[in-house]
């Protein structure tokens, strides 16, 4: 929180993103995503990032900073006061998530929300409409790599808003999708819970993706020697 607040104090827009195993895999294949990550403050999300830190740098992260937990906590605790707009999810999910955030962190001004489904041709127009609201913080929950690339390309302009890329946060805040039990999260197994809830959508990401990530990690570990 102090690092993000300090960056905000410098006056330029700040891009906050989260790196887990899946995002790491996608970034290796996408130069646009890699550039977006390099342009932001990247926080560690999940056991894969933690294991990579241990194997490559000799220590685990002190805390798991997944966006679902970190972003509401940050908004409740930061000394900054934001004008916030939400973009993402489907239907009225983002609008419902906004009301949950309004109750959890009422010191901010909540300007509105819209869904995250728009075409490539509409990207610039949507970004211009979001900037026109006067928001100084936009929470974008469109999934990786769409959210990071769109935020970096269209929202992070001179004088534009800061952006947090929040993944599936809106679905959880609006109770559109269930969150794993606390004891499952403590065991660092939330990915397994999500796989059980949405196997058709997530099997490739978690089953194949985790194998790809581990192969990349061990290659990096031994090449670093």
């Amino acid at each position: 929180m102090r690092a993000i607040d300090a960056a905000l104090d410098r006056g330029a827009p700040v891009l906050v993103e989260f790196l887990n195993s899946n995002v790491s895999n996608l970034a290796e294949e996408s130069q646009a995503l890699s550039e977006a990550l390099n342009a932001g403050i990247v926080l560690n999300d999940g056991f894969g990032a933690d294991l990579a830190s241990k194997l490559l740098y000799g220590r685990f992260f002190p805390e798991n900073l997944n966006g679902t937990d970190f972003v509401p906590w940050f908004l409740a605790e930061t000394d900054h006061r934001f004008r916030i707009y939400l973009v993402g999810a489907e239907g009225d999910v983002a609008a419902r998530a906004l009301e949950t955030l309004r109750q959890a962190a009422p010191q901010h001004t909540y300007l509105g929300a819209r869904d995250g489904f728009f075409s490539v041709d509409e990207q610039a127009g949507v970004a211009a409409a979001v900037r026109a609201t006067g928001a100084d913080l936009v929470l974008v929950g469109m999934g990786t790599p769409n959210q990071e690339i769109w935020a970096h390309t269209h929202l992070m302009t001179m004088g534009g808003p800061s952006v947090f890329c929040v993944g599936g946060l809106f679905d959880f805040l609006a109770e559109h999708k269930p969150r794993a039990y606390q004891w499952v999260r403590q065991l660092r197994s939330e990915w397994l819970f999500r796989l059980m809830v949405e196997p058709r959508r997530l099997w490739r990401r978690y089953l194949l993706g985790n194998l790809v990530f581990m192969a990349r990690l061990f290659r990096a570990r031994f090449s670093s020697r």
Side-chain angles (χ1 to χ4, degrees), residues 4 11-12 19 23 43 49 61 96 98 110 147 158 194:
I4 295 170
L19 185 108
V23 176
L43 305 182
F61 286 104
R96 287 155 49 197
L98 181 147
Y110 296 89
Q147 60 188 14
M158 184 63 65
R194 293 189 63 192

Side-chain angles (χ1 to χ4, degrees), residues 23-187:
V23 176
S24 177
N25 286 343
L26 293 174
E28 176 146 307
E29 303 298 326
S30 169
Q31 181 178 349
L33 175 57
S34 182
E35 290 175 354
L37 291 170
N38 286 333
I41 297 174
V42 181
L43 305 182
N44 58 292
D45 175 6
F47 182 70
D50 210 21
L51 182 61
S53 178
K54 178 63 174 178
L55 290 181
L56 298 179
Y57 302 106
R59 62 184 184 275
F60 291 113
F61 286 104
E63 191 76 34
N64 179 33
L65 300 178
N66 68 82
T68 307
D69 293 318
F70 178 81
V71 173
W73 177 86
F74 175 85
L75 293 178
E77 298 296 330
T78 178
D79 291 331
H80 286 268
R81 298 295 179 265
F82 297 109
R83 299 186 303 277
I84 299 175
Y85 194 89
L86 277 63
V87 179
E90 61 183 7
D92 67 344
V93 170
R96 287 155 49 197
L98 181 147
E99 293 305 319
T100 301
L101 287 174
R102 193 195 305 274
Q103 296 177 25
Q107 68 271 34
H108 307 293
T109 301
Y110 296 89
L111 301 175
R114 62 150 294 155
D115 68 82
F117 289 86
F118 44 88
S119 69
V120 173
D121 292 338
E122 296 174 302
Q123 288 184 357
V126 171
V130 171
R131 290 196 301 270
T133 66
D136 54 20
L137 177 61
V138 181
L139 306 183
V140 181
M142 294 161 45
T144 300
N146 294 338
Q147 60 188 14
E148 291 86 1
I149 295 173
W150 180 66
H152 180 235
T153 304
H154 294 288
L155 286 179
M156 299 298 294
T157 59
M158 184 63 65
S162 294
V163 181
F164 281 33
C165 295
V166 300
L169 173 64
F170 302 157
D171 286 324
F172 299 128
L173 290 178
E175 297 184 348
H176 182 63
K177 293 181 180 178
R179 186 86 192 275
Y181 302 112
Q182 183 64 37
W183 65 268
V184 175
R185 285 180 253 165
Q186 290 174 342
L187 291 174

